[in-house]
Amino acid sequence: MTNKIISKVFFVLVLLFSLFGVPPKIHVLNRVDFIDFLTDNNLELKIFSILLILLFILFNSKFKNQLKAINELKPWLFFFVFKLFILLKYFFQIQSTFGLYEITIFISLLYVYAYLSYTLNYKDFLMVINLTAWIFIILNIIQYVYDYSALFISNRFISLTGNSNHAAVIFSIFSIFSLIGLQINYLKFSNYMLLIICLPLLIITGSKTGLFVIGLYIILYFLKDFKMIGIFTLIIIPAYYLFNSFDSLEIVGSFERISNFQDTRSANWNLSLQNFYESPFIGSSSNNERLTFIESSYLACLENYGIIGFSLFLISIMLLIRKIYMKKFILSVYFALALLFGGLFEAYLLSSTNLVLHTLLIITVLNINQNNINENFSRNILH
């Protein structure tokens, strides 16, 4: 029991530190001191939290159990091949430490989630995510009271991430997990409250991507559940207008940006394709001093890692979807598809330390442990 509690605490830290980010240097934000510390040192804290839970696992579990669990994470083993390609590509280049960092963190995460897959049940995972969301929201409230302007850039809500699109993806993930919790009647009050808070925050980020992610999830699943559509509508519309009533904030919302749609990405996408054409097999960044991550996981992968890396990446994704779908874990399939669709417009699928990767790993683990899911969960989630 003690190991389980400690695992949850460390797991919350891993997820929590994955949420913070540094805003562009041209923006000087007046943040609370300890929040400023968390954002400025976000990469170090992400690595520290992952290594902390890894050390705990190594000292408190049997290696044989980890190997057995890792075998269940087979689709992710092909992602390991992709990370190995990154390591080999940059081994003799200026970004050699980047490849080593990527594969080390990725292996650590696989080992961590292999342990968590048989240590925590589905309720434990949902509770940890729920708790992480509340801690993050409380930190945002503290910053809002101290200086709310530090939560906005160009009238778009960036939260504590430093980027409005990153914030939108985070709140869309929290919202979807809350919808899942409501669907299985778990932590109902907490999940209702999270939806009431997260959905408007998602909208005032002004991000179309975050809205598309949760929108696709709603379309794929909740169209056959009119009750949940009603709940979603009753929460999002009044809350959105409530936020918009604060005229002093001059917020730019996602709906407004959709109605005034401008193709802001096409120029970057065209440039990315031009760079790819210059070095199509192993990627253009082999000739540059830094990686280029444009607003698309797939184009960024094609540009940086070429046809070889992109093929490994695409195969990994297809194997992951196939693994989840074979179990008929329907909410997991829709959740994963929504996130992968969002990857068309954000480069979050290429990172080893953000909430999206953690979410996809959690989906896989819930898939593995579906035999332990109670009847109520099975009735709502399985075909």
Side-chain angles (χ1 to χ4, degrees), residues 348-365:
Y348 55 56
L349 294 177
L350 298 179
S351 172
S352 295
T353 55
N354 63 27
L355 186 62
V356 174
L357 180 72
H358 288 294
T359 301
L360 290 172
L361 281 164
I362 289 170
I363 289 171
T364 310
V365 169

Side-chain angles (χ1 to χ4, degrees), residues 125-168:
F125 277 100
L126 293 179
M127 185 188 71
V128 165
I129 295 164
N130 196 276
L131 180 59
T132 303
W134 278 115
I135 293 173
F136 189 63
I137 287 170
I138 290 171
L139 291 175
N140 276 272
I141 292 173
I142 292 173
Q143 178 58 58
Y144 183 88
V145 173
Y146 181 75
D147 184 356
Y148 73 84
S149 65
L151 296 173
F152 294 84
I153 291 180
S154 300
N155 296 330
R156 295 176 62 184
F157 184 65
I158 63 167
S159 181
L160 302 176
T161 66
N163 182 290
S164 57
N165 291 324
H166 296 173

